[in-house]
Amino acid sequence: MRRAHGRTATTRIALISAGTAAVLGLGGFSAGAAAAAGTPTPDRTAEPTAAAPAAVGQQVLSTFTVAYPAAPYRTHNIARAVELINGAVVEQGDIWSFNQAVGERTVENGFVDGIMINDGRYVKSPGGGVSAVATTMYNAMFFAGLKPVEHGAHSFYIERYPEGREATVAWGTLDLRWQNDSGHPVTVRASSTANSVTVTLLGTKQYDEIRATKGPRTHVTPPVKRTVTGPTCEPQTPLEGFDVSVDRVFVRGGHEVGRETFRTHYTPRDEIVCAPESPTATPGATAPTTGATQATPAAPGSSAAPSTSASPSASAFPSASGDASPSAS
């Protein structure tokens, strides 16, 4: 089997249902304003602590920041997740897990209700907002050159995130996990403000540069308009669905030494109009949609073709399902 940048080249496939591919934060949508108005939580920020100082001589492997519109629930939940991941030290060969580090997003664990996606539309649910932290960590891992083990994209695209370079999480069904295959310990530094979250990974550099190159949108699918009733309805603006590929390019000594291709499928984000519920009305039912992400490492100079089945190394990923799954955050 060929090796890319010192790592055995395998195929990793993640297939997730829309119920487990959730969104936090609404990028200025009316649903975000409604959630903020209905969630009187205090403003909260999280700054790096000195709980686990970086080892002497550690370098910045990567740092990544995601910005988002401020909303009380979002600021609170992101700050709580940051508190739980900041200062972690991941030893060589160990796997870092978002769900293990952050725990279940419950009131008892310090989280409040927010907005997520379930069955292709926004709904109110506990812990909304934390996938901004997952997306930030995913990009920090990406540009640090570490090995992705499990991740899944949101079911439909959220404009403030990089296309094909984002992640969501769902307790018990979908995790964000990466392995420290750098040969040295990696330290996690995380902080947040009312409208941004930053993750920095410290360790020993293996590459001079890691670049991301994105291809064009393909298989574009238009959204539809749906009318929904019921107390959990949130208005939703339409956006097309599409497929996109992102290459991660590893550079050492001025030369490309490895390349991985990640393919992401986004379903359309249908327009949702909330209608008053009449005494005879039946709450609108929505059909489940499915989002999927594939990661296909390729040797330098080769063209990676989409895979139709998962290799044994993909067993950690949840399989696709047409059934409604618990909301992700």
Side-chain angles (χ1 to χ4, degrees), residues 15-294:
L15 299 176
I16 55 178
S17 69
T20 61
V23 144
L24 44 67
L26 306 178
F29 301 148
S30 58
T39 312
T41 57
D43 187 27
R44 175 176 180 169
T45 60
E47 299 297 335
T49 69
V56 175
Q58 280 194 318
Q59 305 163 289
V60 174
L61 302 180
S62 64
T63 187
F64 199 84
T65 298
V66 165
Y68 44 79
Y73 82 86
R74 186 182 294 126
T75 300
H76 178 97
N77 288 339
I78 288 173
R80 175 59 178 154
V82 162
E83 286 178 344
L84 294 166
I85 69 173
N86 182 48
V89 176
V90 186
E91 299 294 340
Q92 157 61 21
D94 286 355
I95 292 176
W96 184 89
S97 160
F98 186 99
N99 282 341
Q100 182 178 358
V102 174
E104 189 170 2
R105 274 68 80 185
T106 62
V107 173
E108 293 76 15
N109 195 23
F111 294 93
V112 298
D113 282 355
I115 302 297
M116 302 178 185
I117 292 176
N118 194 4
D119 291 345
R121 64 185 181 93
Y122 292 122
V123 297
K124 294 183 177 73
S125 190
V130 299
S131 69
V133 185
T135 290
T136 309
M137 174 61 83
Y138 177 79
N139 278 273
M141 175 278 301
F142 185 101
F143 289 106
L146 301 171
K147 179 181 179 180
V149 174
E150 178 184 357
H151 81 281
H154 293 93
S155 57
F156 52 66
Y157 178 56
I158 306 302
E159 293 91 330
R160 67 171 170 270
Y161 295 147
E163 292 182 19
R165 285 198 349 257
E166 43 93 4
T168 187
V169 288
W171 179 257
T173 56
L174 179 64
D175 202 356
L176 169 64
R177 298 190 299 147
W178 51 266
Q179 184 176 35
N180 176 13
D181 62 346
S182 70
H184 305 272
V186 170
T187 301
V188 176
R189 284 281 178 266
S191 62
S192 68
T193 69
N195 54 16
S196 70
V197 55
T198 299
V199 173
T200 300
L201 299 180
L202 306 171
T204 302
K205 282 193 171 185
Q206 305 299 304
Y207 306 100
D208 300 332
E209 182 186 5
I210 294 177
R211 299 193 299 263
T213 60
K214 181 180 70 67
R217 295 182 179 185
T218 60
H219 303 104
V220 176
T221 307
V224 299
K225 183 176 181 179
R226 293 190 281 162
T227 300
V228 177
T229 60
T232 63
C233 180
E234 292 289 338
Q236 184 169 290
T237 57
L239 185 71
E240 65 189 20
F242 57 93
D243 294 350
V244 67
S245 294
V246 174
D247 282 3
R248 178 163 70 161
V249 182
F250 300 79
V251 177
R252 185 186 294 130
H255 301 285
E256 180 179 323
V257 295
R259 179 181 291 257
E260 292 177 326
T261 299
F262 297 84
R263 295 179 174 86
T264 303
H265 170 69
Y266 293 109
T267 60
R269 187 177 69 209
D270 292 340
E271 181 179 4
I272 299 294
V273 177
C274 297
E277 189 172 8
S278 66
T280 58
T282 301
T286 58
T289 54
T290 301
T293 300
Q294 298 184 35

